[in-house]
Amino acid sequence: MQTPFIQNHQFNYIQKQADFLLKTLRSVVDPKVLDTVRYTVSTNAVGIFNDLTTEQKQLLEQLSTYEKTHELQTYLNQLESYLIPYPQVSAKQIQKLFPKAKKLKVPDLESIDYAHTTYLRWTDIATSRLFIVYPHEGRFLGIEGRITPTNKKGYCMFCHRHQELGFFNVKTKAHSPDNFSSIAQYVCTDNTACNHSITDITMLEKFLLSTVK
């Protein structure tokens, strides 16, 4: 049985390396340049992991050996079986994370692609509230805030993708009637696309953790 060891954001990163390799194969004929790119994508894919078994390292290094689009796609399909899915979460658990949210509309949990989810998020259009549930150190963090469409494109703080943005404003734990405190950032308005594009969780975690301190 295959042991999952790849998180969604790591898979997205590997996919980008595969795209880079494919573009190079289509546009470059110099063998030395091709060898350099092959070495780079292989090193990059392995480098985002801290602890790998010999078999896992060899699996990732295979990325650099392919020549054609269908070969790379078959390889990526194979890697999907090693994805670590988003932890099981119930509607009741989610509701407990947002005790102040009256009539909280929980998303359809059965329709979510958990293998390709780094952080669970949904928008309540009626209240212009963005809700985020993020697994961190064995527990779930619940973050909510107002999201305001900007009607312009830019780079999402979480996935660094150039797309339609919303201004996400979250009141922090320090907030009180006498002490107003909030933190805000520009993020994707497309929940699914953000999860399919994120390749590094550093900025996501930095933002989310800063709201719950």
Side-chain angles (χ1 to χ4, degrees):
M1 184 178 176
Q2 295 164 340
T3 303
F5 71 97
I6 303 173
Q7 294 180 313
N8 174 59
H9 70 280
Q10 294 170 323
F11 178 81
N12 293 339
Y13 181 82
I14 294 168
Q15 202 162 27
K16 282 194 172 184
Q17 297 302 305
D19 290 342
F20 175 47
L21 175 59
L22 192 59
K23 286 177 183 177
T24 304
L25 288 168
R26 288 172 175 169
S27 60
V28 175
V29 293
D30 187 330
K32 289 185 178 179
V33 174
L34 286 172
D35 285 345
T36 299
V37 170
R38 288 185 187 282
Y39 174 79
T40 300
V41 298
S42 175
T43 303
N44 287 348
V46 171
I48 58 173
F49 295 87
N50 293 323
D51 299 302
L52 291 171
T53 66
T54 302
E55 291 77 12
Q56 290 168 348
K57 186 171 183 289
Q58 289 173 344
L59 176 65
L60 295 173
E61 288 174 340
Q62 285 177 27
L63 170 64
S64 65
T65 66
Y66 299 106
E67 299 280 350
K68 302 184 185 303
T69 304
H70 73 273
E71 292 175 342
L72 280 166
Q73 191 55 58
T74 299
Y75 171 73
L76 292 170
N77 291 344
Q78 178 191 0
L79 280 191
E80 288 197 331
S81 63
Y82 293 91
L83 277 167
I84 301 169
Y86 184 92
Q88 287 266 322
V89 63
S90 67
K92 187 172 285 187
Q93 283 176 291
I94 292 174
Q95 287 165 344
K96 284 184 178 179
L97 292 172
F98 304 103
K100 294 180 181 178
K102 304 297 182 184
K103 299 180 180 177
L104 177 67
K105 295 179 181 178
V106 176
D108 180 4
L109 298 178
E110 292 185 4
S111 68
I112 293 167
D113 181 2
Y114 288 101
H116 293 281
T117 298
T118 293
Y119 70 114
L120 183 60
R121 57 173 278 183
W122 69 98
T123 304
D124 184 340
I125 299 173
T127 60
S128 297
R129 307 290 289 178
L130 174 63
F131 294 87
I132 291 176
V133 176
Y134 185 68
H136 182 69
E137 296 182 349
R139 67 188 182 100
F140 288 108
L141 302 178
I143 294 93
E144 67 169 302
R146 178 170 294 278
I147 187 160
T148 308
T150 62
N151 300 314
K152 66 179 182 180
K153 288 189 175 183
Y155 285 94
C156 169
M157 185 200 189
F158 297 160
C159 72
H160 307 296
R161 187 178 60 109
H162 192 262
Q163 195 50 265
E164 290 286 340
L165 296 179
F167 188 65
F168 184 38
N169 190 290
V170 182
K171 292 178 181 177
T172 65
K173 287 283 188 179
H175 173 77
S176 68
D178 301 319
N179 179 25
F180 181 81
S181 181
S182 67
I183 186 169
Q185 265 300 341
Y186 291 99
V187 301
C188 283
T189 55
D190 189 325
N191 300 335
T192 302
C194 194
N195 268 295
H196 286 185
S197 302
I198 190 168
T199 58
D200 188 327
I201 57 174
T202 304
M203 296 307 293
L204 170 67
E205 285 200 348
K206 183 178 180 181
F207 179 83
L208 298 183
L209 292 173
S210 69
T211 67
V212 296
K213 284 182 178 178

